[in-house]
Amino acid sequence: MRYAWLPMLKKPVPDTLQRPLDAAKFEARQIADPVCFALEPALGEGYRIEKAGDGYTVAGGETGVLYGAYALIRALSCGEALPEGVQRPYYPLRMINCWDNMDGSIERGYAGRSLWFEGDAFHYDPARIRQLGRMLASVGINVLCVNNVNVHWPAQQLIGDLLPDLAAFAGILRPFGVRLMVSVDFSMPLQCGLDTADPLDSRVQAWWKQRADAVYAAVPDLAGFLVKADSEHRPGPNAYGRDHAQGANMLARALAPHGGALVWRAFVYNCLQDWRDHSVDRPCAAYETYMPLDGSFDDNVILQIKNGPYDFQVREPESPLFFGLRHTPMGLEFQLAQEYTGQQIDLYAMPPLWREVTDAIGKDTVRAIAAVSNLGRDENWFGHPFAALNLFAFGLFAWDPDGDPAALIRCWARMTYALTADQEAALTDLLLGSRAVYERYTAPLGLCWMVRPDKHYGPSPYGYEFQAWGTYNRADRDAVGVDRSGRGTGYACQYPPELAERYADPEKCPENLLLFFHRLPYGFVMRDGRTLIQRIYDDHFEGAQQAEAMARTLEALELPEPDRSEAARRMEKQLINAREWRDVINTFFHRFSGAADEKGRVIYP
Ligand code: GCV
């Protein structure tokens, strides 16, 4: 069992740890001695580190001392200055959402089976779960949602018969400052003898209140419930003619006496759309649902919104809800599992994406930050050894969203491998540029959904075209894309005026979103004078070429085994994928447009 970063922490964690302070003392002794701890409860998750003679003093609140110990370890192992003054996390809720099913599978999981479920029960190696707690604490992640937002039987029982098991699991993570959250099924009262799950029915309200009381009796520090409702066939309040505020508030009121949060996902759209119907446009859906409800949610509700209006596509604009909602507590949802971005085979380092999003929406627009986990039971936890970076950097980003993406990547590289300065710089650059390369060979210019249906790996430009998911590129012999300006579906009008105007004008729209917002003829002239079709060809050819260059860089890094072989094996697959994307997409558009490549490269007939 390898610990993805901090390789110097070789010792397993004793199972006697009870509190974050115990864990902090244990961790600090692995690297720096003497380290003294001063418990200052008022600092909460915050900490302060000071040099004291030959050693250090770490002062902090109950969990802050643990975070301080890890910050000290990071600073010492990266050769960086100690953080000055009191450090506090920017976002109080820094959560991973684990889409783990109780049969042991993980929805969109690319690193093996669940670390804690198997055979419809909790089933885990406690030592490994302690390592997990350690790994999460080392980057400040403080909440883990234990089960898939698609709640499949018997996961409903996590807040029923399985409560003792949930409590035992929570107990293992508690010393690491990690609290649990549970995804719940809105229709659960129906499965427990009531004839309705209507949120305005007093019996339903009483049922949830009694459930919440029982849950908190077993797990007093539970972070709350996470809910996917009226989304992709999940039950929700709409079935009873109730809106999402009514649904969310009913659950929130059951949790409120216990200090729990109700995290309600805004991933709501019609997944039974008729592709023939051009009047419905999926990206419009969430805004249409939630804007009229602004101000109606209780204080302990957090509306968790995916970064873009679709679904973790390679390039999307930020969800317009972040700009529109004024009186609703919001959470921002990213996905570390690379569902549409290479599935932990292709390299795709995410820190630049997160920074782009918080810069665009304003980091203080949201009060919580969550990411779909990329963890699994694989020996190295992540499938691709470099996919560890995304979890590592996510935790630190959630702590300090002003962190520089390149610095986060460099820090991970330094803590994970003993590289020369040149190798470290090469690995940092490789990862920093990996997102742009992936975007280029797969989906440049904001064209979404040209991916193989269901699996979501590899190209299939027609795969989602005639389906019910609301995912169309509408390519024909003249043009490609959907007009989302006011002349078209009107999606661009959901943004504040200045942004709306920019997005709605093809001359002003950021080029990387051009085909997200516009339907354009292949002869459309881009800002640098190239035609749209030529730009599509160029990007795919150049993206695949850049992937080849990445493979050469990787080889030259001479990483230690087993990471070297594992990364090389995955890179071979990435190259196959990149060539496939290049050729399929170029051929697709060549067949429609009939336009030759100006540079005479091979486009298959
Ligand atoms: C958990 C996408 C994924 C689904 C996922 C869903 C969601 O549609 O493909 O696997 O379901 O998003 O975020 O709820």
Side-chain angles (χ1 to χ4, degrees), residues 335-384:
Q335 189 187 45
L336 307 179
Q338 297 165 236
E339 178 178 355
Y340 297 95
T341 52
Q343 304 200 350
Q344 291 157 233
I345 297 169
D346 299 31
L347 292 179
Y348 191 95
M350 297 179 177
L353 161 71
W354 308 329
R355 186 58 194 267
E356 234 169 66
V357 172
T358 49
D359 280 353
I361 66 174
K363 65 183 178 186
D364 56 352
T365 298
V366 294
R367 67 158 72 155
I369 186 154
V372 179
S373 159
N374 58 353
L375 285 158
R377 213 187 294 166
D378 278 3
E379 171 74 8
N380 68 4
W381 307 87
F382 300 96
H384 198 306

Side-chain angles (χ1 to χ4, degrees), residues 475-498:
D476 65 18
R477 64 181 184 175
D478 301 317
V480 57
V482 174
D483 180 359
R484 297 196 157 107
S485 72
R487 297 172 301 280
T489 72
Y491 168 73
C493 309
Q494 294 183 343
Y495 290 90
E498 207 180 304

Side-chain angles (χ1 to χ4, degrees), residues 77-199:
S77 38
C78 287
E80 284 172 4
L82 293 178
E84 276 177 32
V86 175
Q87 305 292 313
R88 288 197 168 85
Y90 191 81
Y91 296 112
L93 185 68
R94 307 174 299 282
M95 165 160 78
I96 53 168
N97 291 172
C98 302
W99 288 355
D100 292 40
N101 298 313
M102 292 204 63
D103 65 3
S105 63
I106 301 180
E107 184 154 348
R108 312 304 176 187
Y110 310 104
R113 293 178 70 75
S114 171
L115 281 157
W116 50 83
F117 291 140
E118 193 60 71
D120 285 346
F122 272 101
H123 180 90
Y124 52 82
D125 168 7
R128 191 146 196 209
I129 301 305
R130 280 193 293 278
Q131 288 290 69
L132 172 67
R134 192 181 193 187
M135 188 155 71
L136 299 178
S138 74
V139 291
I141 292 170
N142 64 354
V143 175
L144 177 149
C145 184
V146 72
N147 62 311
N148 191 354
V149 288
N150 293 325
V151 184
H152 302 299
W153 184 262
Q156 285 83 352
Q157 291 303 332
L158 288 169
I159 56 165
D161 292 349
L162 294 171
L163 264 177
D165 300 337
L166 186 77
F169 189 70
I172 300 185
L173 290 173
R174 189 169 293 121
F176 303 97
V178 178
R179 299 156 72 203
L180 296 187
M181 184 166 280
V182 184
S183 298
V184 301
D185 176 343
F186 194 84
S187 69
M188 198 170 161
L190 284 177
Q191 298 148 36
C192 297
L194 292 189
D195 58 3
T196 179
D198 181 351

Side-chain angles (χ1 to χ4, degrees), residues 99 107-108 148-150 228 231-232 265 267 269 282 306 311-312 333 335 339-340 456 469:
W99 288 355
E107 184 154 348
R108 312 304 176 187
N148 191 354
V149 288
N150 293 325
K228 172 175 178 178
S231 163
E232 299 185 333
R265 296 178 83 228
F267 181 58
Y269 67 98
R282 171 169 163 182
K306 290 189 182 187
D311 185 9
F312 305 131
E333 179 177 324
Q335 189 187 45
E339 178 178 355
Y340 297 95
H456 299 168
W469 299 98

Side-chain angles (χ1 to χ4, degrees), residues 403-415:
D404 169 27
L408 287 172
I409 295 173
R410 195 176 318 109
C411 180
W412 171 80
R414 192 167 290 182
M415 298 199 73

